Amino acid sequence: MNDQIRERLAAAGLVLPQVTAARNRYRATVIDDGLLFVSGQTPKQAGVPTVAGRLGAELDVEQGRAAARLAALNLLAQIDREIGLERVKRLLKLNGYVASADGFVSQPAVIDGASEVLVEVLGAVGEHARTSVGVAWLPGNAPVEVELIARVTP
Amino acid sequence: MNDQIRERLAAAGLVLPQVTAARNRYRATVIDDGLLFVSGQTPKQAGVPTVAGRLGAELDVEQGRAAARLAALNLLAQIDREIGLERVKRLLKLNGYVASADGFVSQPAVIDGASEVLVEVLGAVGEHARTSVGVAWLPGNAPVEVELIARVTP
Amino acid sequence: MNDQIRERLAAAGLVLPQVTAARNRYRATVIDDGLLFVSGQTPKQAGVPTVAGRLGAELDVEQGRAAARLAALNLLAQIDREIGLERVKRLLKLNGYVASADGFVSQPAVIDGASEVLVEVLGAVGEHARTSVGVAWLPGNAPVEVELIARVTP
């Protein structure tokens, strides 16, 4: 990661979570011809979930927003592990899935937590298109899952 | 927009809804190296939701199909605002999310409302791959949300 | 399909299901400038659904995993029908949607059935990034739906 990104992280009091390449049936990141796909990330610290439950049931919007922020930091950590954040040319598309209990319809307010931290860390390069939807349940009872497509330099 | 697209809209009695670039934490559209990503759109007129509720509860398939059609017109309006519809070389992928109450499994019939209007307006250029799923809840209790990836000319 | 892929299918005792191009409002596959998008596929044999129900209700993880495997074989069959599997340069991104009844949070174990068969058939070329989420309901009460982005040779 370059100095500007490091300074932005420091200024925001942020530390990227530790991540590992998925050792399972799929890869955490795939890069091909300048397109980077990052697998869905949930809120984890060093690979351990920090929060569980659905929005509108166990968790409120502020808790969901914090969870989305941490999940997005895991996206950034995966990119940094794979190629270094300085090689991000432009974020393209963020999809945010919010585990939503009966009647919860404030998904965008939750996913704002992810969008905000991406721009905090990457600046204008971090701006992105986005879709937010409310799903039934997420892996391990995570409250939120985010995935990303980006353009990176060769 | 070019004359052929204008004529198709007129022939179908369609008017693109007014849209604005998202002023929020994300962008309504992102274009990079000929790939265009349009953020998730719900059924709105001039930015105001026209319908709320879930399929299989407050809304039936025909109402859902009309909602999907309007949401897709918002996709087209976002593209037209950003670069003009004549610069669409080819639609690639439409994803449709349908807010689905207990037991509702006719998501494709709903999202057909979006697919049909895209081809009505753009002709063969508007043909696309697609995924339709039934989610729990959508932002603002929207019945349907659609997002798009397209190839555009530089 | 080339001999190596044919041999892998035979060794695994796999036969690609029969598929047709979607004759409906959308296309089963779209290719543009080396990017291939495959529309969402559910578990079908010769176009006929083989299983219905949700995970955590009518179906358990093993049944879901088998359904995901068959859905992924339909992805491969669509690619083979369109351009031949030997033209796949690299899989990029798999998204898996699991119809999830109350409290079901083992979506990744289900979608592993799709990821595994993609690598079985394509080898290293079949490795991919992935997102798994638990949706409310899927078309025709399918238990799982998968979609794919890949890079293909011109």
Side-chain angles (χ1 to χ4, degrees):
Chain A
M1 143 186 1
N2 67 20
D3 284 354
Q4 188 178 24
I5 294 173
R6 194 171 285 112
E7 283 165 18
R8 284 204 199 101
L9 282 167
L14 294 172
V15 177
L16 291 188
Q18 288 182 297
V19 292
T20 55
R23 300 133 306 183
N24 305 317
R25 306 313 197 279
Y26 64 98
R27 297 174 57 88
T29 52
V30 165
I31 301 175
D32 179 83
D33 197 21
L35 272 184
L36 164 67
F37 294 83
V38 189
S39 292
Q41 302 292 315
T42 52
K44 293 184 178 180
Q45 287 287 4
V48 179
T50 59
V51 57
R54 293 190 297 164
L55 274 288
E58 299 82 8
L59 302 178
D60 65 19
V61 168
E62 279 312 305
Q63 292 168 304
R65 183 190 295 260
R69 185 178 180 87
L70 178 56
L73 286 173
N74 278 269
L75 289 174
L76 293 173
Q78 288 290 3
I79 299 172
D80 199 48
R81 175 195 58 73
E82 183 71 27
I83 53 164
L85 278 175
E86 65 277 9
R87 280 188 50 201
V88 176
K89 184 184 158 207
R90 179 67 196 271
L91 298 191
L92 300 175
K93 181 78 187 307
L94 174 75
N95 270 29
Y97 305 92
V98 179
S100 299
D102 210 38
F104 184 79
V105 297
S106 300
Q107 289 83 16
V110 171
I111 300 301
D112 278 351
S115 291
E116 287 164 4
V117 80
L118 294 175
V119 174
E120 266 179 66
V121 174
L122 294 174
V125 162
E127 295 187 6
H128 51 273
R130 189 179 97 177
T131 295
S132 304
V133 299
V135 295
W137 297 90
L138 287 169
N141 201 19
V144 60
E145 182 169 352
V146 289
E147 60 175 342
L148 193 61
I149 306 174
R151 179 72 65 179
V152 298
T153 58
Chain B
M1 131 186 10
N2 66 21
D3 284 352
Q4 187 178 25
I5 295 173
R6 193 171 287 113
E7 283 165 18
R8 282 205 200 100
L9 282 166
L14 293 172
V15 178
L16 291 188
Q18 287 183 298
V19 293
T20 55
R23 300 133 306 185
N24 306 316
R25 309 311 198 278
Y26 64 98
R27 296 173 58 88
T29 53
V30 166
I31 301 174
D32 179 83
D33 198 21
L35 272 184
L36 164 66
F37 295 84
V38 189
S39 293
Q41 303 291 315
T42 51
K44 293 184 179 180
Q45 287 286 6
V48 179
T50 58
V51 57
R54 293 190 296 165
L55 274 290
E58 298 83 7
L59 301 177
D60 65 20
V61 168
E62 280 311 306
Q63 293 168 305
R65 184 192 294 260
R69 185 178 180 86
L70 178 55
L73 286 173
N74 278 268
L75 290 174
L76 293 174
Q78 288 291 2
I79 299 173
D80 199 49
R81 176 195 57 72
E82 183 72 27
I83 54 164
L85 278 175
E86 64 277 8
R87 279 187 50 200
V88 175
K89 184 182 158 206
R90 178 69 196 269
L91 298 192
L92 300 175
K93 180 77 186 307
L94 175 75
N95 270 28
Y97 305 93
V98 179
S100 298
D102 210 37
F104 184 80
V105 298
S106 300
Q107 289 83 18
V110 170
I111 301 302
D112 278 352
S115 291
E116 287 164 2
V117 80
L118 294 174
V119 174
E120 264 179 69
V121 175
L122 294 174
V125 162
E127 295 187 5
H128 51 272
R130 189 178 97 176
T131 295
S132 305
V133 299
V135 296
W137 297 90
L138 287 169
N141 201 19
V144 59
E145 183 169 352
V146 289
E147 60 175 343
L148 194 61
I149 306 175
R151 180 70 66 179
V152 298
T153 58
Chain C
M1 144 188 354
N2 65 21
D3 283 353
Q4 188 177 25
I5 294 173
R6 194 170 285 113
E7 283 165 17
R8 283 204 199 101
L9 282 166
L14 293 172
V15 177
L16 292 189
Q18 287 182 298
V19 292
T20 55
R23 300 133 306 183
N24 305 316
R25 309 312 198 276
Y26 64 98
R27 294 173 59 89
T29 53
V30 166
I31 301 175
D32 180 83
D33 197 22
L35 272 183
L36 164 66
F37 295 84
V38 189
S39 293
Q41 302 292 315
T42 52
K44 293 184 178 179
Q45 288 286 6
V48 179
T50 58
V51 57
R54 293 190 296 164
L55 274 289
E58 297 82 6
L59 301 178
D60 64 19
V61 167
E62 280 312 305
Q63 293 168 304
R65 183 191 295 259
R69 184 178 181 87
L70 179 55
L73 285 173
N74 277 269
L75 290 174
L76 292 174
Q78 288 290 2
I79 299 173
D80 199 49
R81 175 194 58 73
E82 182 72 27
I83 53 165
L85 278 175
E86 64 277 9
R87 280 188 49 201
V88 175
K89 185 183 158 205
R90 179 69 196 271
L91 298 192
L92 301 175
K93 180 78 187 306
L94 175 75
N95 270 31
Y97 305 93
V98 179
S100 299
D102 210 38
F104 184 80
V105 298
S106 299
Q107 289 83 16
V110 170
I111 301 301
D112 278 352
S115 291
E116 287 165 3
V117 80
L118 294 175
V119 174
E120 264 179 68
V121 175
L122 294 175
V125 162
E127 296 188 4
H128 52 272
R130 189 179 96 176
T131 294
S132 305
V133 299
V135 295
W137 297 89
L138 287 169
N141 201 21
V144 60
E145 183 170 353
V146 290
E147 60 174 345
L148 194 61
I149 307 174
R151 181 72 66 179
V152 297
T153 57

